[in-house]
Amino acid sequence: MLTVTVKWQKEVFSKVEIDTDQPPYVFKCQLYDLTGVPPERQKIMVKGGLLKDDADWATVGVKQGQKLMMMGTADEIVKAPEKGPVFMEDLPEEEQVVAVGHTAGLFNLGNTCYMNSTVQCLHSVPELKSALADYPSERKNDLDQTSHMLTAATRELFNELDKSVKPVAPMQFWMVLRKKYPQFGQLHNGVFMQQDAEECWTQLLYTLSQSLRPPSPSDNPDAMKALFGIELVSRICCQESGEESSETESVYSLKCHISQEVNHLHEGLKHGLKSELEKASPSLGRSAIYVKESRINALPRYLTVQFVRFFWKRESNQKAKILRKVDYPLQLDVYDLCSEDLRKKLEAPRKILRDEEGKKLGLKAKEKSSDSKDNDVKMTEAEGPSNGSGESSKPTSDEGSSSYKESNLTGVYDLVAVLTHKGRSADSGHYVAWVKQESGKWIEYDDDNPIPQREEDITKLSGGGDWHMAYICMYKARTI
């Protein structure tokens, strides 16, 4: 090994060893230990110019005992903390949750993964937690006792998850859920049976919609309708007789129907908004086939999409699963699924949103047709929300409340939760929740085991095999 002398500012370091079998970058790391100057800031004068990180020592021509000159600024010395280290386990539970970056998992009480994954997805909605926090402890006169008990149990379970880093046993919630909906208490050979997560999701939202209703229509808007309600307007036409009618209905999720032609969520949603039904035709005096075409007439804060993966197989007399791969985006634009009336309302907010995102990309605002063919815009870092929670760069003034102006909506949504199913049948297999945190990080909630995940792995849950595949996706509105 060679030994050299290195002069840096007023200091001189003698007998610094150089291992000529290693690149000069290793030598620079040695000098970093001595001087505090990072390798990328070091300028070492040698014959022919500056020493490069990957230079060949044989051609550099450094000799034994040679004096080298180094220039560069050292990193600022970090001062010792005034207080000693505080270990996480010594912090209060609420502060531990903040330090960990996610809330607690839920113990499986015996095939209850369908319930745990549903709870974790809905628990990620801050506006729902706010609405539950205001829910009174005493039952309303027009509400049945079991609905009140389930709503109160949901509130308590959400509170417990927020305050704990250790897994929570949702015993009280499960007991009340079974009392309200006995099908979730079915036994087989003395063991509780696996149930359908989508059925649990739907029943829980229905109960909360009854409990969190305002006392009168003149009061604040219906919290659950504003958060999750989708209004559909439908045109029903009989091609034989030419009869036409229209109807309006409210639902809590859109259906993504899966067929051989469906490769993407957007295609499945279009299929789900068009259907055929048989009913009596007054003019024909008999049954006839009617075509029902629906459009979205009012959008919620959180858009829920269910992949219709399960169907009843008559030959085997059991539920079967469609394993086909159906891709879904991190950002979903539903503009072309909306009615003409709703499209007009969305025009102005969409233009503001485009201008905002254009500024982030350094582009000048320009006119652009909203009816874009590329309805599912891929997320990029520049386009992504600055706060990591699916919001636009300008937060709304009523953030955290369940009521908000329809004019804030743009028809663009960001993925915030995915509920997956692994297995071949709805009556077996395993459900897991994948939830985006306020920090923008994703956590896989596999019952009592929260596991950090990368965003690029979330869209790989699209099916096509025996791995976890998306069953329910929840998107959060990007507002202005």
Side-chain angles (χ1 to χ4, degrees):
M1 280 192 184
L2 292 174
T3 57
V4 296
T5 299
V6 179
K7 185 176 187 306
W8 172 66
Q9 295 181 354
K10 295 180 180 180
E11 296 189 59
V12 177
F13 302 94
S14 58
K15 295 185 179 179
V16 180
E17 292 184 344
I18 296 179
D19 184 350
T20 53
D21 292 331
Q22 299 293 332
Y25 185 79
V26 175
F27 174 60
K28 288 185 175 183
C29 289
Q30 290 173 245
L31 296 179
Y32 174 51
D33 289 336
L34 292 171
T35 64
V37 180
E40 61 270 17
R41 288 197 216 140
Q42 294 178 19
K43 292 182 180 178
I44 301 171
M45 308 301 292
V46 291
K47 187 178 179 182
L50 297 175
L51 180 64
K52 294 183 179 179
D53 292 351
D54 57 353
D56 184 355
W57 284 113
T59 58
V60 171
V62 175
K63 297 178 181 178
Q64 174 70 24
Q66 186 173 335
K67 189 174 184 179
L68 301 177
M69 178 77 71
M70 186 186 88
M71 294 180 287
T73 309
D75 279 338
E76 187 179 343
I77 298 172
V78 179
K79 294 180 181 178
E82 294 179 8
K83 294 182 180 179
V86 178
F87 297 100
M88 193 177 77
E89 54 267 29
D90 297 329
L91 293 170
E93 286 252 4
E94 290 87 343
E95 292 184 31
Q96 287 187 40
V97 172
V98 175
V100 169
H102 59 78
T103 52
L106 289 164
F107 283 115
N108 193 315
L109 304 176
N111 284 332
T112 59
C113 58
Y114 70 93
M115 179 187 79
N116 290 351
S117 53
T118 296
V119 167
Q120 291 288 11
C121 288
L122 294 177
H123 173 251
S124 71
V125 178
E127 298 92 337
L128 178 56
K129 288 195 276 190
S130 296
L132 284 167
D134 296 334
Y135 182 71
S137 298
E138 293 184 5
R139 179 171 64 93
K140 301 173 187 176
N141 293 331
D142 62 340
L143 188 67
D144 65 279
Q145 182 64 23
T146 52
S147 292
H148 169 70
M149 290 170 64
L150 182 55
T151 304
T154 305
R155 178 189 62 200
E156 296 310 312
L157 181 56
F158 280 12
N159 286 339
E160 204 171 348
L161 286 172
D162 279 334
K163 294 176 182 177
S164 179
V165 287
K166 297 174 184 175
V168 173
M171 185 62 72
Q172 182 64 27
F173 178 86
W174 188 43
M175 288 172 60
V176 178
L177 179 69
R178 283 180 288 148
K179 191 169 185 177
K180 174 66 180 173
Y181 299 106
Q183 68 266 34
F184 296 123
Q186 289 177 312
L187 294 169
H188 180 68
N189 295 331
V191 178
F192 285 103
M193 294 173 62
Q194 176 70 285
Q195 300 293 334
D196 190 338
E198 189 274 332
E199 188 178 352
C200 180
W201 184 300
T202 301
Q203 299 286 35
L204 182 55
L205 280 191
Y206 174 76
T207 300
L208 295 178
S209 70
Q210 300 300 303
S211 307
L212 301 177
R213 258 188 325 202
S216 66
S218 60
D219 289 340
N220 290 329
D222 186 322
M224 295 302 290
K225 188 176 180 181
L227 287 177
F228 302 103
I230 307 161
E231 185 182 287
L232 296 177
V233 59
S234 304
R235 175 176 165 266
I236 304 167
C237 177
C238 177
Q239 293 181 337
E240 273 191 85
S241 64
E243 294 169 85
E244 274 195 25
S245 61
S246 62
E247 66 178 32
T248 302
E249 60 182 319
S250 291
V251 296
Y252 281 109
S253 67
L254 293 178
K255 307 295 182 187
C256 174
H257 285 266
I258 303 172
S259 66
Q260 291 299 320
E261 298 80 41
V262 173
N263 298 304
H264 195 275
L265 171 64
H266 209 275
E267 296 167 334
L269 291 176
K270 283 183 177 178
H271 278 262
L273 292 173
K274 187 174 182 179
S275 60
E276 287 188 351
L277 59 147
E278 186 177 347
K279 67 174 188 171
S281 166
S283 63
L284 297 174
R286 58 175 171 80
S287 291
I289 301 296
Y290 286 75
V291 175
K292 180 179 179 181
E293 293 188 33
S294 303
R295 286 288 178 267
I296 301 168
N297 205 41
L299 285 165
R301 181 77 157 179
Y302 292 85
L303 184 68
T304 304
V305 176
Q306 181 213 345
F307 292 80
V308 185
R309 289 200 172 273
F310 298 109
F311 66 99
W312 191 257
K313 212 169 186 177
R314 289 182 181 178
E315 54 267 31
S316 58
N317 202 33
Q318 65 181 14
K319 271 186 180 178
K321 184 178 178 182
I322 301 170
L323 302 177
R324 182 178 178 81
K325 182 181 178 182
V326 180
D327 290 320
Y328 55 91
L330 291 170
Q331 185 174 319
L332 176 68
D333 189 346
V334 295
Y335 178 84
D336 69 328
L337 305 179
C338 298
S339 66
E340 287 298 325
D341 287 346
L342 182 54
R343 287 189 193 189
K344 289 174 184 176
K345 294 176 185 176
L346 295 176
E347 281 291 350
R350 287 171 72 83
K351 185 180 183 306
I352 295 170
L353 180 64
R354 285 196 303 271
D355 291 348
E356 280 185 6
E357 293 182 347
K359 286 175 185 175
K360 291 179 192 174
L361 294 167
L363 303 175
K364 292 182 180 179
K366 63 179 180 180
E367 293 295 327
K368 180 182 176 184
S369 170
S370 289
D371 196 5
S372 168
K373 288 183 180 179
D374 186 15
N375 290 301
D376 296 329
V377 186
K378 289 186 178 179
M379 284 279 283
T380 66
E381 190 172 341
E383 289 173 327
S386 59
N387 62 7
S389 62
E391 287 298 312
S392 174
S393 58
K394 294 182 181 178
T396 55
S397 58
D398 51 8
E399 181 64 48
S401 86
S402 59
S403 61
Y404 59 95
K405 293 180 181 178
E406 192 178 47
S407 60
N408 287 337
L409 293 173
T410 61
V412 179
Y413 286 82
D414 293 299
L415 186 67
V416 290
V418 182
L419 190 154
T420 60
H421 179 264
K422 183 181 180 182
R424 298 259 167 173
S425 167
D427 300 324
S428 61
H430 186 53
Y431 290 100
V432 165
W434 312 67
V435 180
K436 191 175 185 179
Q437 309 300 298
E438 288 186 9
S439 64
K441 294 180 180 178
W442 283 86
I443 299 293
E444 174 192 354
Y445 286 98
D446 187 351
D447 286 328
D448 59 318
N449 186 24
I451 309 163
Q453 295 290 342
R454 298 176 305 171
E455 187 171 69
E456 55 263 35
D457 292 330
I458 302 303
T459 51
K460 294 176 183 176
L461 306 167
S462 50
D466 287 331
W467 179 235
H468 284 281
M469 60 187 73
Y471 185 34
I472 299 174
C473 282
M474 186 169 72
Y475 288 86
K476 184 177 183 180
R478 182 168 284 204
T479 60
I480 52 129

